[in-house]
Amino acid sequence: MKKILLACAGGFSTSMLVERMKDAARSQGIEVVIDAVAESDIDDQKPFDIIMLGPQMGHAESDLAAEYPNIPVTTIDMMDYGMMDGEKVLGTALELMEKGA
């Protein structure tokens, strides 16, 4: 089972998006684990298959990609994040995990 990790400054603003992503996964019959954490707690969540950063954390993407070179690290699209589009963000995560990007 794949684990998707969403990270933001405090771990709070991504919680609603996580719930929407879980709903989308359930409706598509996809089994994934999705968690939201503060940036400082990322390492405590290992293992994970992708790190998705809230738009406010985009500045940390390259540092995290260097720290976790074997997994995709991406910043969630600001529009998708603002609209809390769980289906679209889930789709992005699955696509990146498939590519191994």
Side-chain angles (χ1 to χ4, degrees), residues 22-71:
K22 287 179 179 179
D23 290 344
R26 271 191 295 277
S27 71
Q28 296 174 43
I30 299 169
E31 291 188 25
V32 292
V33 174
I34 308 169
D35 289 313
V37 298
E39 179 189 13
S40 60
D41 295 330
I42 289 173
D43 209 42
D44 298 336
Q45 298 298 311
K46 287 181 182 174
F48 39 78
D49 298 292
I50 187 169
I51 300 172
M52 302 187 83
L53 303 173
Q56 73 278 20
M57 294 298 304
H59 66 277
E61 183 175 337
S62 61
D63 289 341
L64 287 168
E67 188 173 341
Y68 303 100
N70 297 321
I71 64 162

Side-chain angles (χ1 to χ4, degrees), residues 75-101:
T75 301
I76 300 168
D77 179 82
M78 190 177 299
M79 182 69 77
D80 296 341
Y81 190 87
M83 299 295 290
M84 291 286 143
D85 190 337
E87 187 171 343
K88 187 128 186 237
V89 176
L90 176 65
T92 299
L94 295 172
E95 181 180 317
L96 289 172
M97 286 187 292
E98 181 74 25
K99 288 181 184 176

